[in-house]
Amino acid sequence: MGGGLHSFSVNVTWTGAGSEGTTSYTSYSRDHEVVVEGKPPLLGSADAAFRGDASRYSPEDLFVASLSQCHMLWALHMAARAGVVVVGYSDRATGTMRVESAGAGQFIEVTLRPQLTVVGDVDEAVVAKIHDDAHAHCFIARSVNFPVRHVPLVTEVVTPR
């Protein structure tokens, strides 16, 4: 992997101006596109609670997803390093955001609920260490100023073939 700096570039284009633009808080759509060169666009909007389109991804959805994805990728890395064969992974991640009366707000916690499906009988202490090490290495979790908790669910075991 190596050290050094890594740069990431994302283009966000607002598509919701309509005919009136921002003449009022209710006159415009929150719709936008998130584009990373060479990848399909993500259709974004504000969360429905903030006048957005619930069928599109909100920044809050993507923020919680980025924490979950980062943990998963590191957990898979740590499992491979520990000799644990993972053949399935899922997570039901949730985030809690507090909005203040003036409208500003912030996330106050995210909880990840990763579940591994592994080959063979793996000690739960080994699985816990995999998740602890993943959490300690996750770039995104290390970049936020609130707790990111991980509560591993019961590990499923599949019989080796």
Side-chain angles (χ1 to χ4, degrees):
M1 195 179 297
L5 300 176
H6 299 262
S7 297
F8 301 89
S9 179
V10 176
N11 295 311
V12 176
T13 304
W14 178 43
T15 59
S19 61
E20 297 181 43
T22 59
T23 56
S24 74
Y25 180 72
T26 60
S27 68
Y28 61 96
S29 165
R30 276 64 176 165
D31 292 357
H32 57 275
E33 289 186 351
V34 179
V35 177
V36 177
E37 188 173 332
K39 300 176 185 179
L42 287 170
L43 300 180
S45 189
D47 185 77
F50 306 108
R51 303 190 55 79
D53 181 342
S55 71
R56 291 173 169 243
Y57 296 100
S58 73
E60 297 82 7
D61 294 332
L62 297 174
F63 186 64
V64 173
S66 71
L67 285 160
S68 177
Q69 286 177 278
C70 188
H71 184 91
M72 177 194 70
L73 294 168
W74 274 107
L76 296 174
H77 176 90
M78 296 303 174
R81 180 187 283 179
V84 174
V85 178
V86 176
V87 295
Y89 185 104
S90 63
D91 183 10
R92 189 176 47 84
T94 57
T96 303
M97 187 177 75
R98 177 178 33 231
V99 178
E100 299 164 359
S101 60
Q106 62 280 330
F107 274 84
I108 57 173
E109 78 171 358
V110 167
T111 302
L112 309 177
R113 292 172 187 83
Q115 183 170 11
L116 301 178
T117 303
V118 299
V119 175
D121 192 20
V122 178
D123 188 273
E124 287 298 321
V126 172
V127 173
K129 180 163 177 28
I130 286 169
H131 288 295
D132 289 345
D133 290 347
H135 178 71
H137 282 79
C138 173
F139 306 140
I140 310 298
R142 293 170 51 92
S143 300
V144 299
N145 65 353
F146 58 84
V148 179
R149 304 182 200 305
H150 58 280
V151 182
L153 301 175
V154 175
T155 303
E156 295 182 20
V157 179
V158 294
T159 307
R161 294 180 190 189

